Amino acid sequence: MTKHCLMVGAGLSGAVIGRMLAEAGHRVTVLDARGHIGGNCHTERDADTGVMVHVYGPHIFHTDDAEVWDYVNGFETFLPYKNRVKTTSQGAVYSLPVNLHTINQFFGQTLRPDEARVFLESKADTSISDPQTFEEQALRFVGPELYEAFFKGYTIKQWGCSPSDLPASILKRLPVRFNYDDNYFFHKFQGMPENGYSAMIGRILDHANITVTLNTPVSRDQAAGYDHVFYSGPIDGWFGFDLGRLGYRTLDFERFDYRGDYQGCAVMNYGDVDVPYTRITEHKHFAPWESHEGSVLYKEFSRACGPDDIPYYPIRQVAEKTLLAEYVAKAEAEANVTFVGRLGTYRYLDMDVTIREALDCGRRYLATLETGEPMPAFTVNPL
Ligand SMILES: Cc1cc2nc3c(=O)[nH]c(=O)nc-3n(C[C@H](O)[C@H](O)[C@H](O)COP(=O)(O)OP(=O)(O)OC[C@H]3O[C@@H](n4cnc5c(N)ncnc54)[C@H](O)[C@@H]3O)c2cc1C
């Protein structure tokens, strides 16, 4: 029997699940509070310069998941793109993640890989046997100099607290490479959508069984009357924040324009704590196959998320996880709603993981229609 399902959110989660249900013959209504599709992956071409701007911050597609890679390539051409990040620290520019070039440049050495390992071991604080905090973890594995230059200031700015107050798990394995590989991601498949993410998501949503309406915030009451709701908004928002708000970091982007090439790369981090922003992104470098005289840049500032701000990074410390557990219990008592995506499950999710989870969620729903089993509130465990 044909179902009528509501997707709250026209980001990747809502689009991928909606497409799968539409292809299976069901009616899908997609509602989004914003005036555009694409959620936080939204891209738009700047009218003045022609540059494709990543409106909510830089997005690079990378995955080891062949099905997800085939999926996105089915809706958009992906062109080769390697993320090569630089950082400005203590008056010099270095390559990230910390690699042999960074180590040799920083310490004025010409070390080979084995020598660099021994050298860094001599820097490590071996009195720390079981690192509990981010700071201890960093001091244990790279020593004080690299920690100060590349991790400390950036982390303070990004998370708004001392690395000694953050759990070691944030930096479980310090990304240090003992070769000259400066490709930020390890994944087998990497690329950029030729026409931006919103064009891709627009094609995913382009199906006769899907209706998309923008500028339409949806509350729990307004979501009644559908056979099933897939909610990709904030889980605490669904319940009107009645138990309190889950903590997030938000970002402020300060745009500036330039004629020519401002910084020669897409992403320049700033490791020093006295530089108030964490990084500058120059968007035209995300599309190296295009050529633009003008340039659009974002300075990125991180701060605590207030009620009217866009939630970006979930904090997920002990207090937040306790509150999350309470919301999860409430969510599990709901009927005909599944909480999905980065906000619905209060987790940081890369795009490939978002798509993988959305594909699995859509399949699970279609399977429940066959078996008669109830569709759960979560198809992944958010805790
Ligand atoms: C700064 C930053 C950089 C990132 N960079 C990368 C990267 O380089 N590579 C990568 O793989 N991933 C990256 N990501 C992750 C990527 O943004 C997410 O994987 C993706 O956006 C998740 O999609 P989603 O649909 O779950 O959520 P969202 O994109 O947040 O979409 C949710 C949608 O729901 C709508 N909505 C919410 N509540 C309601 C409501 N009540 N009513 C109606 N609509 C509602 C919102 O307006 C939004 O459009 C980055 C994330 C951030 C924050």
Side-chain angles (χ1 to χ4, degrees):
M1 202 181 98
T2 303
K3 300 289 181 189
H4 184 192
C5 294
L6 171 65
M7 305 293 138
V8 180
L12 272 177
S13 296
V16 172
I17 299 169
R19 177 74 187 208
M20 185 177 285
L21 304 195
E23 285 182 355
H26 302 292
R27 261 175 70 207
V28 175
T29 296
V30 181
L31 302 177
D32 200 298
R34 293 176 178 169
H36 58 75
I37 60 162
N40 272 18
C41 306
H42 176 53
T43 44
E44 64 188 28
R45 217 171 260 293
D46 179 57
D48 293 338
T49 59
V51 170
M52 186 64 80
V53 174
H54 295 209
V55 177
Y56 299 92
H59 278 70
I60 296 107
F61 201 92
H62 53 98
T63 189
D64 276 336
D65 189 326
E67 187 191 355
V68 167
W69 183 241
D70 287 347
Y71 184 88
V72 293
N73 278 276
F75 291 99
E76 172 64 17
T77 303
F78 273 70
L79 294 176
Y81 183 84
K82 294 264 186 283
N83 196 27
R84 295 205 160 84
V85 178
K86 306 291 172 216
T87 186
T88 298
S89 173
Q90 302 169 2
V93 176
Y94 300 95
S95 143
L96 285 182
V98 174
N99 60 65
L100 196 47
H101 198 179
T102 324
I103 297 167
N104 278 331
Q105 186 191 353
F106 186 81
F107 290 106
Q109 300 279 339
T110 54
L111 302 169
R112 291 182 294 104
D114 292 346
E115 294 166 339
R117 276 178 208 279
V118 173
F119 179 75
L120 267 205
E121 272 161 30
S122 77
K123 297 275 176 196
D125 183 345
T126 50
S127 71
I128 304 168
S129 56
D130 182 18
Q132 296 298 310
T133 67
F134 179 106
E135 182 167 81
E136 286 177 356
Q137 178 85 348
L139 292 173
R140 172 69 187 82
F141 289 101
V142 298
E145 296 96 333
L146 291 181
Y147 166 60
E148 297 274 341
F150 299 114
F151 299 104
K152 187 176 179 182
Y154 193 88
T155 305
I156 290 172
K157 289 189 283 186
Q158 189 173 21
W159 291 103
C161 63
S162 164
S164 58
D165 294 330
L166 291 169
S169 57
I170 291 193
L171 250 195
K172 237 183 215 138
R173 243 188 99 246
L174 276 178
V176 173
R177 297 193 187 148
F178 295 100
N179 57 32
Y180 289 98
D181 182 4
D182 64 349
N183 181 355
Y184 206 80
F185 299 114
F186 274 120
H187 287 142
K188 191 156 55 172
F189 309 109
Q190 302 186 38
M192 276 288 179
E194 185 173 15
N195 302 296
Y197 293 99
S198 290
M200 174 183 86
I201 294 170
R203 265 180 230 117
I204 297 174
L205 288 167
D206 184 14
H207 190 282
N209 291 346
I210 300 180
T211 312
V212 180
T213 308
L214 301 175
N215 300 305
T216 309
V218 183
S219 69
R220 184 167 175 266
D221 298 340
Q222 291 159 332
Y226 295 89
D227 290 309
H228 200 84
V229 178
F230 294 87
Y231 177 75
S232 69
I235 180 170
D236 49 357
W238 179 257
F239 298 103
F241 308 99
D242 59 357
L243 302 175
R245 282 178 182 268
L246 291 163
Y248 281 91
R249 299 289 289 172
T250 191
L251 300 174
D252 295 319
F253 297 108
E254 193 180 291
R255 175 183 164 148
F256 65 102
D257 290 22
Y258 188 77
R259 301 291 308 163
D261 188 355
Y262 179 79
Q263 63 183 16
C265 64
V267 181
M268 175 68 75
N269 284 5
Y270 286 84
D272 299 335
V273 80
D274 54 355
V275 176
Y277 39 89
T278 51
R279 57 183 178 176
I280 296 180
T281 48
E282 184 160 19
H283 291 253
K284 68 179 177 183
H285 292 304
F286 290 122
W289 57 89
E290 294 183 2
S291 157
H292 303 283
E293 178 53 24
S295 197
V296 178
L297 296 106
Y298 276 7
K299 276 183 186 161
E300 190 171 319
F301 301 80
S302 171
R303 63 178 169 81
C305 186
D308 298 324
D309 297 321
I310 299 173
Y312 279 94
Y313 295 110
I315 293 176
R316 286 185 76 91
Q317 297 258 40
V318 175
E320 285 81 15
K321 283 181 114 175
T322 305
L323 183 57
L324 175 63
E326 293 176 39
Y327 277 120
V328 166
K330 280 174 80 99
E332 281 169 342
E334 295 282 283
N336 303 325
V337 186
T338 299
F339 294 78
V340 297
R342 65 178 200 97
L343 297 167
T345 62
Y346 188 59
R347 291 173 304 148
Y348 176 81
L349 300 179
D350 273 330
M351 290 181 280
D352 63 325
V353 180
T354 304
I355 294 170
R356 159 57 50 209
E357 292 187 358
L359 291 170
D360 292 347
C361 179
R363 281 185 189 129
R364 176 85 175 261
Y365 179 68
L366 294 177
T368 64
L369 298 182
E370 299 288 319
T371 62
E373 282 170 34
M375 181 66 182
F378 299 96
T379 52
V380 288
N381 181 359
L383 296 168

